Amino acid sequence: MVAGAQAFRLEIPVHDHRLSNGLRVIVSPDHSAPLVTVAVYYGVGMRVEPPGRTGFAHLFEHLMFQGSGQMGKHEVAYLVEQNGGMLNGSTSLDFTNYFEVLPAPALELALWIEAERMRGPSITQAELDNQRDVVKSEIRLNVLNQPYGGFPWLPMSERAFRNWHNAHNGYGDMADLDAAALPDVERFFVDYYSPSNAVLVVVGDCEPARALELATRAFETIPPRPVPPPADLSEPPREAELRATYHDPRANRPALAISYHTPPRGSRAFDGLALLDHVLLQGDDSRLHQELVRRHAFSSSVDGGINFLGNAFNARTPLLWTSSLVHDPHVAADAILDAFDGVLEEVRVAPLDEATFARALVKARSAYYDTITGFFYPSLGRADLLASFALFDDDPRLINAVPARFDALTPELVHETAREVLAPRNRTVLELEPGLPKNGHRE
Amino acid sequence: MTTPHPPASRLPGFALPRIERLKLDNGLRAVLVESGSVPKADVRLVLDIGDAQESLDETWLSRLVAEYLREGSATRDSDAYAQAVAALGGDLAVDSDDDTTTLRGRVLSEHAPAFVRLLAELVRTPRFPPGDLPRLRSDLERRLALAQVQPHMLALERFRAALYGDHPYGRVFPRPGLIGRFTTDAARAFYEAHGGAARATLYVAGRFDERAVGAAVAEAFDGWPAGADSTVRPPQPRHERAVHLVDRAQSEQSTIYMGLPVPAAGHEDWIPLWVANALLGGSFISRILLNLREDKGYSYSPFGFISTRRRDANWMQIADVTTEVTGASLVEIFREIDRLRAEAPPTAELEGIQRYVTGTYLTRFATPAGISEQLASLDLQGLDASYAEATVERANAVTPEEVRSVVERCLRPEEMAIVVVGDASRVAGQIEPFGRVSA
C-alpha cells in the first residue's frame, strides 16, 4: 500500500501578531530540526531610490552590520557565529532582510540582535568608507568583471521599464556610491526602518507563545516613526514591442533575453502567468526547452522566470517574466525569436490540452514547496514567503493559499492570460552582443 | 564585546538522523532518511563516473555522458521521459564532477517510489541517441567557451594544473578540438565501463513512505549488473611554491586562488585543520576576512576552505581584490598564516570558532538536501556516518596549540601555489616578490 497525496499535505502554522509600535511578528514553529531562523524584513528595497542615489539601499544594508544600537562594528557577526549560527542580509526590489539561523536555544539572543539593529546605525565615516569599498568590490565581482554580469537583470530593467523606480540600476553607479554621506544614512534609517515598516519572522524549533513573549520584550520599546508613502511603481501603457542591443565587452557569445510585463500581483492573470511559466519555461518538458534546446539546438538551456531577484511571490509588481539564452554567433537572434514566437503562439491560439495543464499544476505545486524549503539557509524560504505575504498583501496566511490558487485556474483562464500578457506589444527583446560597440565606447 | 546581550546558550548536541540502509545482491546501496516538514523527497543516484576515470583524450567525456543521461531510456525518448518526471513534480538534473555523476530530482512525496523506478529505468537502459550527438557536442563546446572567459574558472584551471599536473584532477578544460572528436559509441562505452550497481548509491531524504520506496528500490534495481571494479589512479599532488599570472586585459580586479594539498578527511589532522581554517579564513569572523574586508576594504568575499575529492584534499584561500592592492592582499594573507603558525590563538577566539563550526554543522543535517549531501560526501571518503558525530566531538576538543601546530604542519607558505587572474600590465610587478612568475 503506497501512501497517497493525502498523507503528505502541507499546512504551515502561522501565528500573526502586531506589537504596539506597529512591528508585525510572525511565528511559524517547525520542530524537524533543532534550529531557529530569525529574519527581519523591512519594507524598503532598491525601487525606492531616487535619482542620484542608486545602490543606496544595498550600501545601507552593508552598514547595518557595522554597528547599530549597542552593537559595535561587525559585532553582529561575532554574536551569531560564536553562538553556532550563520547570518546574512540581502537587498531586493521591495524589501531588505537581515537574518540568522541559530541553534534553537539562541532564540532570545537572535531577537536581541535584531532589536538592536532596529534601534539604528551608529557608524563612523571610516566604516562608511570601508563598506563603500566592499560594495564596489562586490559590484566588480558580480557585474563589472564578470562576463554576462548583471545580464539580463540590469540592462533589461533599464530598457523594459519607463518608471525610474523600476528601471534604474539597483546595484548602483560608482559615482552615486561615492556621493553617499553619513547624513544620508541617518535620513534613510529614519524614513524606512521604522518598526511599523518591518516584519519579524521566527521559524523553527520554538513555542509560539514564548517566541512572541521574547519578541515583545526585545522590540516593543522601539518607537515607531511615520513612513513615507510607497513609491509609485506604475508604468505607462505599452503600445509596441521594444528592441534593444547591449554590448558586453567581457562576453564571448551573443545572448538574447525576452521579457514580458507581468499582470498585477494577486490577480488571476498573475497566477495564470506563473502557471504558464511552468508550461513554457521551467523544466526539460517545457515547450521552450523542447523547441529551442532540443529541436533547434540554439543553446543547452533557456533560463528565466518571474522576478530577476527572487520568485513570483517576493516582490511587488510590475515585474518581468523573462526567458534568456546564450547562443552561437552564427545563429541570428531573429531565427531564435521566430522559434520562440511559434511556441508562444500555440498557447495564445488555443487553451492548453488537459494533460499539459494537469502536469503544469503538479509542477507549480512542487516548485512552490521548493520555494518554501528554500536553498542554502534552513527555513529562510518559509520566512521569506511569510514576510512577503505580510508586506505585500497584509496577510501572511496566504502562504497556505498558493496551491489552491493554482488549482482554481482553468485552461480557459490561462488562455485568456496568454492572449493578454504574451502579446508582442507587452515585451522587450534585448540582444547582448559580445565586445565593444562599433564606436568603441563602453555602455 | 561588553554589551549586555543575552548570555551564550549551550549548543544542542549533535545526533545523526535515523538512517535506513539497504544493499541489494548486485551491490547497489540505498540510504533512506525521513526528514523535514515539506512534502517532497530529494532523490539522488550517485554513480562512480567522473573526471577521475578519464584519460587525457577523454577529458569531459564524463560530461557528455551526463548530457546523454538526459536523453531518455530505451523505452522512453527524451520528451516522454521528461514528461514522466515532470508529472511527479520533478525535474531531472544530471551533474558530473571530479569523482561522480549525480542524477537528482525533487519530487512530490507520494511520487518518490515512482521516481525511483524512473531513475532505475534510465541508468539500466540509457538511450544514447546518436542523432543528438552534434547538439550535445556543440553544447559542450559553448560551455567550454563560456567557462574560459570566467575569471574564477581561469584561476581554477591554473591552480589545479599546478597541484595535480597530468592527473585528471589537474585538467579543468579539454584541449581545443577534443570535444568534436567524441562519439556516441565512446560515451556509451565509457558509461558501460564505469557504470553498474556495485558503484551506485541511491539517497532518498525528505518525507516519503519508507516501505514503498524500499520496495521500489529492491524491485527496480534488482538484476542490474554489478559492473567492473573501479580503477582510479590516486593523485600525487605537488607541494611547491609556484606563482602563476593569467593575463586578463583590463580586468576590473584580480582573482586570487592560492593553496596547497592537505591530508584528506579521516586523517588525524583533518578536524583540527577544519577548525583552524574557520579561524583563519573560513568564517565571517575569520582573521583574513576581518583583515582584507573589514579593515582594508580590499575585497568583498575573501574565503578560505578545504576542497575535497575522493581521499584527496587541498586548502584554498580565494579573494577577488582591487587591482592596485593585489600584492598587498597577498602580503596580508601570508601575514595571517604566519601569525597562526607562530602563535596559538587566544582561547576565547578558538572557543567562538569551535561553537561556530559545531553549531553550523547541525544546519548541514537540517534539510533533506543537506543530509544527502553530507552522507554522500562521507561515503565518497569511505567514512562511516558515525564520523559526523566524531567530527563534532573532536572539533570541540581541539586546543589552541593543536590549531597552531596543525597550521604549521599543513599550511606551509613555501609549498603553496599562487594563481592570480588579472591585468598583467598592472599586476605582474606586484606579485614578483612571491616567486618566479609563470605566465
Side-chain angles (χ1 to χ4, degrees):
Chain A
M1 181 68 196
V2 176
Q6 290 308 310
F8 295 113
R9 289 188 56 81
L10 178 63
E11 182 70 28
I12 290 178
V14 182
H15 299 264
D16 179 22
H17 311 271
R18 207 183 276 276
L19 304 188
S20 59
N21 58 6
L23 176 67
R24 196 160 196 160
V25 181
I26 301 163
V27 184
S28 182
D30 177 351
H31 304 291
S32 63
L35 301 174
V36 67
T37 298
V38 170
V40 177
Y41 278 64
Y42 293 90
V44 55
M46 296 169 176
R47 287 209 262 214
V48 303
E49 292 161 351
R53 285 287 177 269
T54 61
F56 193 81
H58 173 233
L59 175 62
F60 187 88
E61 175 224 311
H62 275 249
L63 297 175
M64 289 294 258
F65 292 78
Q66 292 296 296
S68 49
Q70 304 173 69
M71 297 188 293
K73 175 181 166 85
H74 214 63
E75 189 177 345
V76 57
Y78 285 103
L79 287 172
V80 172
E81 293 199 341
Q82 294 187 337
N83 282 290
M86 19 196 225
L87 73 162
N88 213 332
S90 72
T91 308
S92 193
L93 296 174
D94 302 310
F95 67 78
T96 306
N97 67 1
Y98 304 86
F99 58 87
E100 35 279 323
V101 182
L102 281 150
L107 171 61
E108 186 177 0
L109 175 68
L111 294 169
W112 183 89
I113 287 169
E114 290 308 329
E116 288 308 303
R117 184 139 44 194
M118 197 177 282
R119 288 175 205 278
S122 56
I123 60 161
T124 63
Q125 184 65 43
E127 288 160 350
L128 170 59
D129 292 342
N130 168 250
Q131 289 304 304
R132 191 194 334 261
D133 285 345
V134 169
V135 165
K136 286 178 166 181
S137 183
E138 177 180 352
I139 294 171
R140 289 189 196 103
L141 173 67
N142 291 335
V143 182
L144 300 177
N145 202 38
Q146 188 65 29
Y148 310 92
F151 179 82
W153 164 40
L154 294 170
M156 179 60 91
S157 299
E158 282 180 62
R159 288 157 181 84
F161 289 119
R162 290 280 169 274
N163 181 329
W164 160 267
H165 292 292
N166 303 319
H168 77 268
N169 175 354
Y171 236 147
D173 296 330
M174 294 301 198
D176 286 357
L177 292 170
D178 282 335
L182 282 177
D184 302 321
V185 174
E186 183 58 25
R187 181 79 238 160
F188 197 77
F189 173 78
V190 168
D191 279 351
Y192 295 110
Y193 277 68
S194 168
S196 54
N197 195 35
V199 177
L200 164 68
V201 188
V202 179
V203 180
D205 193 13
C206 65
E207 292 310 318
R210 170 80 179 141
L212 178 63
E213 183 195 320
L214 292 173
T216 305
R217 198 186 302 159
F219 286 90
E220 202 156 48
T221 54
I222 303 171
R225 302 176 296 277
V227 179
D232 175 8
L233 303 182
S234 62
E235 288 283 324
R238 287 163 299 278
E239 266 136 40
E241 173 184 293
L242 189 77
R243 274 191 85 148
T245 302
Y246 160 79
H247 290 88
D248 182 341
R250 306 208 174 272
N252 60 348
R253 291 289 181 278
L256 179 67
I258 306 154
S259 287
Y260 292 80
H261 288 254
T262 66
R265 180 180 176 92
S267 66
R268 196 49 76 83
F270 187 91
D271 295 344
L273 180 62
L275 194 74
L276 281 164
D277 179 46
H278 286 286
V279 173
L280 295 169
L281 187 56
Q282 305 301 328
D284 284 0
D285 70 312
S286 69
R287 292 187 177 179
L288 286 169
H289 183 86
Q290 291 292 331
E291 185 73 7
L292 304 186
V293 174
R294 292 199 193 274
R295 175 140 180 263
H296 288 285
F298 291 138
S299 190
S300 54
S301 67
V302 197
D303 304 310
I306 294 173
N307 185 3
F308 295 118
L309 298 187
N311 54 57
F313 309 99
N314 66 358
R316 297 182 192 277
T317 48
L319 291 169
L320 298 172
W321 176 68
T322 303
S323 306
S324 73
L325 55 82
V326 176
H327 59 94
D328 292 335
H330 66 267
V331 176
D334 279 333
I336 301 171
L337 209 50
D338 280 350
F340 181 91
D341 284 341
V343 172
L344 265 65
E345 198 53 25
E346 285 173 32
V347 298
R348 299 186 72 222
V349 164
L352 296 171
D353 62 274
E354 279 298 335
T356 302
F357 182 74
R359 202 168 66 242
L361 287 179
V362 171
K363 289 170 70 178
R365 172 187 290 269
S366 191
Y368 184 64
Y369 288 164
D370 289 340
T371 305
I372 291 173
T373 299
F375 297 95
F376 185 68
Y377 298 100
S379 295
L380 186 64
R382 182 194 296 209
D384 182 74
L385 287 168
L386 288 165
S388 295
F389 286 118
L391 281 174
F392 307 137
D393 303 297
D394 196 27
D395 186 3
R397 289 187 172 80
L398 290 175
I399 193 171
N400 287 314
V402 169
R405 265 165 55 186
F406 283 123
D407 289 343
L409 295 168
T410 64
E412 291 69 32
L413 284 165
V414 173
H415 182 213
E416 210 174 286
T417 299
R419 273 187 311 199
E420 184 60 27
V421 177
L422 303 182
R425 61 162 174 74
N426 195 35
R427 79 179 178 190
T428 305
V429 176
L430 178 63
E431 292 177 46
L432 179 149
E433 283 185 12
L436 293 167
K438 296 248 164 16
N439 63 17
H441 294 297
R442 281 197 67 167
E443 297 183 346
Chain B
M1 301 306 130
T2 54
T3 51
H5 55 77
S9 46
R10 244 181 91 82
L11 298 184
F14 176 80
L16 277 173
R18 193 180 64 80
I19 303 169
E20 179 73 17
R21 290 180 189 273
L22 310 173
K23 188 168 180 188
L24 305 190
D25 292 342
N26 56 9
L28 181 117
R29 283 147 295 167
V31 180
L32 316 183
V33 184
E34 288 191 71
S35 128
S37 54
V38 174
K40 292 205 62 166
D42 181 299
V43 183
R44 57 184 82 190
L45 182 61
V46 179
L47 307 177
D48 192 9
I49 300 176
D51 301 343
Q53 282 97 11
E54 293 169 346
S55 68
L56 178 62
D57 286 342
E58 292 170 336
T59 306
W60 277 31
L61 186 57
S62 61
R63 298 187 193 208
L64 178 62
V65 169
E67 292 302 313
Y68 252 134
L69 289 174
R70 287 169 67 195
E71 295 303 319
S73 65
T75 51
R76 271 179 253 247
D77 68 12
S78 61
D79 293 16
Y81 193 87
Q83 291 189 7
V85 173
L88 309 179
D91 186 30
L92 179 71
V94 187
D95 293 300
S96 68
D97 61 20
D98 290 304
D99 298 298
T100 59
T101 296
T102 301
L103 299 89
R104 181 190 178 204
R106 292 173 295 174
V107 296
L108 291 171
S109 289
E110 61 270 29
H111 297 316
F115 186 59
V116 167
R117 287 192 193 91
L118 273 178
L119 278 180
E121 174 188 310
L122 182 62
V123 297
R124 296 183 66 169
T125 62
R127 192 174 187 91
F128 284 101
D132 288 291
L133 181 69
R135 169 170 67 81
L136 298 179
R137 282 197 309 218
S138 71
D139 284 349
L140 287 181
E141 297 276 18
R142 195 180 312 101
R143 259 168 68 182
L144 174 61
L146 293 173
Q148 285 175 329
V149 291
Q150 285 176 30
H152 279 247
M153 290 303 298
L154 293 170
L156 182 69
E157 188 211 15
R158 194 61 72 90
F159 181 78
R160 286 291 196 87
L163 260 66
Y164 297 103
D166 66 357
H167 186 274
Y169 293 162
R171 296 193 293 265
V172 171
F173 300 139
R175 65 173 186 272
L178 185 60
I179 291 170
R181 300 218 301 271
F182 289 164
T183 63
T184 302
D185 287 346
R188 185 185 273 282
F190 192 81
Y191 178 76
E192 283 169 0
H194 301 292
R199 289 166 64 177
T201 307
L202 181 77
Y203 300 87
V204 185
R207 292 183 62 199
F208 55 93
D209 181 331
E210 195 176 291
R211 239 204 260 171
V213 167
V217 171
E219 186 192 303
F221 287 100
D222 177 52
W224 184 22
D229 287 343
S230 178
T231 54
V232 287
R233 175 164 62 99
Q236 292 184 309
R238 287 190 201 115
H239 293 251
E240 62 187 40
R241 170 63 68 91
V243 182
H244 294 268
L245 175 57
V246 181
D247 185 22
R248 189 166 175 270
Q250 282 155 35
S251 279
E252 297 273 349
Q253 57 191 181
S254 297
T255 300
I256 296 171
Y257 271 48
M258 58 185 285
L260 79 173
V262 294
H267 186 279
E268 61 182 6
D269 281 340
W270 171 258
I271 294 164
L273 186 61
W274 178 57
V275 174
N277 173 66
L279 186 145
L280 179 64
S283 67
F284 205 49
I285 54 173
S286 65
R287 292 178 173 188
I288 292 173
L289 185 132
L290 292 170
N291 184 334
L292 287 195
R293 173 179 155 132
E294 294 298 314
D295 186 48
K296 310 285 190 318
Y298 290 169
S299 176
Y300 165 62
S301 53
F303 189 61
F305 64 102
I306 303 172
S307 153
T308 61
R309 284 148 302 283
R310 188 194 306 269
R311 297 193 184 101
D312 174 73
N314 51 258
W315 174 83
M316 296 179 78
Q317 175 69 40
I318 290 179
D320 291 84
V321 303
T322 307
T323 300
E324 291 69 28
V325 293
T326 306
S329 297
L330 288 169
V331 167
E332 294 304 325
I333 292 168
F334 280 121
R335 189 196 307 282
E336 297 299 350
I337 294 169
D338 289 342
R339 183 155 71 100
L340 197 52
R341 287 165 58 84
E343 295 164 32
T347 307
E349 182 185 6
L350 176 58
E351 281 173 0
I353 289 295
Q354 286 169 310
R355 291 168 65 85
Y356 169 68
V357 298
T358 56
T360 53
Y361 202 69
L362 295 175
T363 64
R364 299 190 186 190
F365 289 84
T367 60
I371 288 169
S372 287
E373 268 159 36
Q374 293 303 314
L375 296 180
S377 163
L378 289 166
D379 285 346
L380 181 70
Q381 302 304 338
L383 295 168
D384 190 80
S386 62
Y387 191 74
E389 286 159 333
T391 296
V392 172
E393 257 173 59
R394 180 71 183 96
N396 277 325
V398 170
T399 66
E401 174 53 25
E402 279 181 308
V403 167
R404 189 205 64 76
S405 69
V406 81
V407 170
E408 186 179 33
R409 207 158 46 245
C410 297
L411 305 188
R412 297 170 190 260
E414 67 274 19
E415 295 181 3
M416 290 184 187
I418 302 168
V419 177
V420 176
V421 179
D423 190 330
S425 68
R426 296 164 68 199
V427 170
Q430 296 184 57
I431 63 173
E432 270 165 11
F434 299 92
R436 204 173 58 80
V437 179
S438 313

